[in-house]
Amino acid sequence: MIRRAFLIGGVAAIGGGIFAVQYGDKAARSQAAKLTDGKGGHNFGTWLRIGEDDTVTLYSPHTDIGQGSNTGLAQMLAEELDPDWSKLAVVSAPAEAAFANVVLGKGFMADMSGYPGIIGALPMSLLGMLARQLNLQITGGSSALRFTGQNGLRVLGAGTRAALIETAAARMGVPAGELTTANGKVLHAKSGKALRYGELAAEAATHSLSGDVALKDPKDFKHMGKSIPRFDIPAKVNGTAQYGMDVMKPGMRVATVIAASVRGGKLESVDPAPAMAVAGVEKVISLEGAVVVVAKGYWQALKGARALAPKFSDGGNGLISTATIFAEQDKLRGGDKPDKTVGEGDVDAALKAGGVKVLQAEFRMPFLHHAMMEPFALTAHYKDGHLDVWGGMQDPLGAKAAAASAAGLGADKVTFHPMLIGGSFGRRLPMYMEVVDQVARVAMQVPFPVKLIWSREEEVSQGAYRPQSSAWLTAALGQDGKIAAWRTDFAQPEDGLREVPFFYDVPAVARRHFKQVSNQTVGAWRSVNATQHGFTTESFMDELAHAAGVDPVEFRLRHLKAGSRHRKVLEEVAKRSGWGSPVEAGRARGVAMVECFNTIVAQVIEASLGEDGMPKVHKATAVVDCGTVVNPTAAEGQILGGLVMGLSSGIGEAITLDKGVVQQSNFSDYEVLKLANAPSVDVHFLNSGAEMGGIGEPGLPPATPALANALFALTGKRVRNLPIKDQAKA
């Protein structure tokens, strides 16, 4: 989506002329300065404000979802800027076009296009204009530190530091090369003089910041690589942290929604009388595919909504089921006309060659729900021609644009107020949700602020799920015990082939995508497509290892180049997990390794089976190469959380359809892993010095295949269909 929009926008920009691009870039910088300067403060490069009292404020373009990335961004800025850490604060950037995240857009575009050199050569003014056109202020894709931090804030910090030194040199009448910085001051060792950043800020802010600056060598780091306490923790502990659910406004009403049970259905009729008969209910609003009940409080609104009997069409989707989706995917593969193929070598010839053993396996994976802790809760108020919206979204600027569109207002008539997010995992991106549109439309019809809350049941049954997908895998084993050819035939809406690389050394590889779309809304789910590809590839690698009569770790090593990052990660996880050593009776180990978001993660799972046939994971070992670790404690938490989420989704989670309707409604029938069943986890990082990778998502994909491989070692039975609980009940 981002790649296509950037390419389209690029053509438009060229047609509009470079002058317009440069003018728009200058206007954006001017707007950012006006929004952040304030009394006694001065803006540097949009994201940074230095106060005359020496306070330093980072206007983060990323939303706090509990991942701790804003603290990491502050560490990266501080590493190059040398501020007084005690006077450094992080706040949310305004949801305004001037704060569109051009560095993020550049990073995503380079990743997805496959032409990083070309993208890197594009002028930042052009990329900035495109980012503003796209309302790009996204938190996701494990992008905050590796793109915004590494390529944006470190450069900004270094450029600002250079401007401060240049200003101080002129004032002191000494060469800039004689000056150093520390703790928010520019220092001249020879004379003992020092100037505070605050007293230099006004003049330094008039300098053009250079993007061509040298960044510090890792051996000189003072902030990066340190487990600095996260900024967000105190407020979350003492209860002062404010989420969308916490918003209270004078005269506010609360609303809730009931949408068509079959995705794509439209509202045909509804009698509002049963809801209006509920004490506290004030209004029933009909939308195209839903009914909204507005009341004095949430429980009155929910009771009123449940009293209604709206009639919806099924949009022609009333016969869709889990089984029909898999059948359609099988039919597409049978037609042998893929929408996309990546890989090299003649796979067909290798599969037909003499002396090879051909193996095949079929895998099926269900829709998965995001299961975020905080259901949707957005508040909106339309007054005097202006719409204000409060809530936690992964793209505040995109949410503002969506609200403006729904309300029929210009962007200058809408203000979005970003807030903390109580869980997301990809669910709170405007392109995958209806709630922004709904709350804006409702606010335009009432004279008071209104908070729209989705019930847990609505949130589960109306999700933007990870796609239901399936794959046929075929491989040939040569007489040398190595893979001679590999083919993956993968079906779901998006392919994910570029974002999840196949890193094993195999002479002939074809990874083919067959596009299949159902009535369900699908969207980004933590690690996006790496869970599907990770499960199928790493499960099949295990099958091939056993067919070759080779230990699963050794088999993988045979297909990894000497000295490679992948090989080092796999060797380290084997060593740290005690791979090959005896385990307790009734237990077994499994291994898996997946690369995504430029990060390599290998995991070993040690598991057993309970009397009910359900797996019990006792120990997990994870080794991670993300290039450089910014905050080890926060990074460890992300890997641990991703691993547990991966186990949860593999063991018990599934969204299923019957007659077009989602069958799950709450945590009672959408089973997430409970704390009592979570394993002890050992996380270890290899600081390879490679280009920085992401950390929020890559910890998830290896967990399910590592568990499935452990279960095979334990029982001799392969897990090819998820969730695992369905095999236990079979």
Side-chain angles (χ1 to χ4, degrees):
M1 182 280 298
I2 294 174
R3 177 180 63 201
R4 289 194 296 269
F6 259 80
L7 294 176
I8 293 169
V11 173
I14 293 169
I18 298 301
F19 174 78
V21 171
Q22 293 174 338
Y23 179 81
D25 203 51
K26 183 177 180 180
R29 291 197 302 271
S30 177
Q31 183 192 24
K34 289 179 181 178
L35 290 170
T36 60
D37 273 0
K39 184 178 180 181
H42 306 278
N43 181 277
F44 292 81
T46 302
W47 311 109
L48 176 63
R49 178 185 187 272
I50 298 180
E52 293 174 7
D53 59 356
D54 297 330
T55 56
V56 175
T57 305
L58 166 59
Y59 290 87
S60 173
H62 293 282
T63 306
D64 186 326
I65 314 177
Q67 75 279 42
S69 62
N70 279 335
T71 303
L73 291 174
Q75 290 176 250
M76 300 179 85
L77 174 71
E79 195 59 73
E80 305 298 338
L81 181 61
D82 288 338
D84 181 343
W85 181 263
S86 68
K87 294 184 178 181
L88 175 60
V90 182
V91 300
S92 293
E96 298 293 340
F99 292 88
N101 196 341
V102 57
V103 180
L104 177 75
K106 182 178 181 180
F108 271 141
M109 192 176 178
D111 262 14
M112 293 187 295
S113 69
Y115 301 101
I118 295 175
I119 303 305
L122 293 176
M124 289 300 286
S125 56
L126 171 60
L127 293 169
M129 191 201 77
L130 299 180
R132 292 189 293 275
Q133 286 184 341
L134 289 171
N135 299 303
L136 192 62
Q137 208 176 54
I138 290 175
T139 299
S142 285
S143 61
L145 302 189
R146 68 183 176 123
F147 292 154
T148 306
Q150 181 68 8
N151 302 323
L153 295 181
R154 288 192 68 189
V155 175
L156 173 60
T160 301
R161 177 176 172 271
L164 291 164
I165 288 176
E166 184 180 348
T167 303
R171 288 195 187 178
M172 293 181 183
V174 300
E178 293 183 3
L179 299 176
T180 58
T181 57
N183 205 34
K185 296 178 182 178
V186 179
L187 309 170
H188 186 239
K190 289 183 179 180
S191 66
K193 293 180 180 179
L195 291 173
R196 296 180 298 103
Y197 282 5
E199 58 188 312
L200 298 168
E203 184 179 347
T206 65
H207 293 219
S208 294
L209 300 184
S210 173
D212 185 18
V213 288
L215 302 181
K216 288 184 181 178
D217 190 287
K219 66 180 176 58
D220 298 321
F221 284 173
K222 297 178 182 178
H223 298 283
M224 291 177 64
K226 305 293 191 301
S227 291
I228 294 173
R230 283 168 44 174
F231 290 152
D232 57 310
I233 297 301
K236 292 176 178 178
V237 172
N238 65 30
T240 59
Q242 294 291 295
Y243 296 85
M245 193 69 76
D246 298 321
V247 173
M248 296 295 293
K249 298 294 175 183
M252 186 181 78
R253 304 296 194 272
V254 180
T256 196
V257 62
I258 293 180
S261 59
V262 178
R263 276 281 190 181
K266 305 299 181 185
L267 179 64
E268 295 181 334
S269 65
V270 62
D271 179 5
M276 296 300 294
V278 175
V281 172
E282 298 184 350
K283 192 176 183 68
V284 175
I285 298 174
S286 295
L287 301 178
E288 184 180 36
V291 180
V292 177
V293 176
V294 183
K296 292 182 177 179
Y298 174 68
W299 295 113
Q300 295 100 314
L302 185 63
K303 185 177 180 181
R306 289 176 174 172
L308 295 174
K311 293 183 179 179
F312 295 97
S313 69
D314 66 9
N317 300 314
L319 297 179
I320 295 176
S321 68
T322 298
T324 64
I325 292 173
F326 280 136
E328 185 178 346
Q329 292 175 352
D330 288 345
K331 183 178 179 181
L332 285 170
R333 274 186 293 259
D336 202 32
K337 294 181 179 180
D339 296 279
K340 182 178 181 180
T341 300
V342 298
E344 297 179 352
D346 191 339
V347 172
D348 288 335
L351 291 173
K352 296 174 183 177
V356 300
K357 180 180 180 181
V358 177
L359 287 86
Q360 295 179 309
E362 298 182 14
F363 297 87
R364 292 187 170 186
M365 295 150 283
F367 288 114
L368 289 180
H369 177 50
H370 295 79
M372 54 192 184
M373 184 178 296
E374 179 195 25
F376 285 132
L378 264 69
T379 300
H381 188 199
Y382 180 68
K383 182 180 180 181
D384 300 330
H386 192 91
L387 178 66
D388 284 275
V389 183
W390 295 262
M393 290 287 131
Q394 285 179 257
D395 185 355
L397 191 52
K400 172 184 174 173
S405 176
L409 299 171
D412 61 329
K413 300 297 183 183
V414 178
T415 300
F416 187 88
H417 305 269
M419 304 189 72
L420 299 177
I421 295 179
S424 178
F425 312 111
R427 180 65 178 105
R428 295 176 188 264
L429 291 166
M431 68 283 286
Y432 302 136
M433 68 180 72
E434 300 89 351
V435 65
V436 175
D437 181 277
Q438 291 171 349
V439 75
R441 293 181 186 278
V442 170
M444 299 299 289
Q445 299 185 50
V446 296
F448 37 70
V450 60
K451 181 192 294 182
L452 177 62
I453 300 174
W454 277 32
S455 68
R456 179 68 67 185
E457 290 78 8
E458 194 73 13
E459 193 252 327
V460 172
S461 63
Q462 298 290 331
Y465 312 116
R466 189 196 77 174
Q468 178 178 327
S469 57
S470 58
W472 295 354
L473 273 71
T474 306
L477 274 177
Q479 293 179 336
D480 59 355
K482 295 182 67 174
I483 304 170
W486 178 294
R487 182 166 62 216
T488 296
D489 287 342
F490 179 69
Q492 69 167 37
E494 296 290 336
D495 62 87
L497 298 177
R498 185 179 295 280
E499 72 191 54
V500 190
F502 183 86
F503 48 78
Y504 291 112
D505 187 12
V506 176
V509 177
R511 301 166 71 209
R512 310 195 300 175
H513 172 241
F514 297 81
K515 185 173 183 177
Q516 182 273 329
V517 179
S518 73
N519 69 318
Q520 293 303 301
T521 298
V522 296
W525 189 88
R526 191 174 186 178
S527 81
V528 198
N529 294 301
T531 49
Q532 302 97 302
H533 286 295
F535 173 61
T536 58
T537 298
E538 286 301 289
S539 295
F540 198 46
M541 280 295 291
D542 221 64
E543 294 198 34
L544 293 170
H546 285 276
V550 180
D551 173 84
V553 168
E554 174 58 32
F555 185 77
R556 287 170 170 82
L557 290 173
R558 289 184 181 183
H559 297 85
L560 296 173
K561 294 179 180 178
S564 67
R565 294 171 65 202
H566 301 88
R567 189 179 187 92
K568 291 176 181 178
V569 169
L570 185 59
E571 289 174 337
E572 185 66 22
V573 81
K575 182 178 71 174
R576 295 184 69 88
S577 66
W579 185 267
S581 65
V583 295
E584 292 185 25
R587 297 187 185 184
R589 296 188 186 103
V591 65
M593 180 167 61
V594 180
E595 178 185 354
C596 58
F597 305 98
N598 202 43
T599 291
I600 304 163
V601 180
Q603 294 173 3
V604 170
I605 297 293
E606 184 175 317
S608 66
L609 282 180
E611 293 182 359
D612 59 356
M614 292 292 287
K616 169 67 176 178
V617 180
H618 302 277
K619 298 179 182 178
T621 305
V623 171
V624 183
D625 180 356
C626 59
T628 298
V629 178
V630 175
N631 188 312
T633 297
E636 179 182 4
Q638 287 300 293
I639 296 298
L640 193 156
L643 188 152
V644 171
M645 188 172 176
L647 292 175
S648 178
S649 63
I651 293 172
E653 298 181 31
I655 291 291
T656 57
L657 298 177
D658 184 42
K659 297 179 181 178
V661 178
V662 170
Q663 299 301 289
Q664 290 69 34
S665 63
N666 211 314
F667 290 130
S668 57
D669 50 14
Y670 189 84
E671 302 176 33
V672 297
L673 192 70
K674 296 178 175 61
L675 183 61
N677 294 322
S680 63
V681 182
D682 171 45
V683 179
H684 180 72
F685 292 94
L686 297 180
N687 284 313
S688 65
E691 182 180 353
M692 184 177 289
I695 204 69
E697 313 202 51
L700 191 151
T704 294
L707 173 58
N709 294 337
L711 295 178
F712 171 78
L714 189 65
T715 67
K717 297 180 180 179
R718 284 289 174 193
V719 174
R720 296 196 183 111
N721 301 328
L722 298 176
I724 294 170
K725 70 173 184 180
D726 289 350
Q727 334 290 299
K729 295 175 181 178

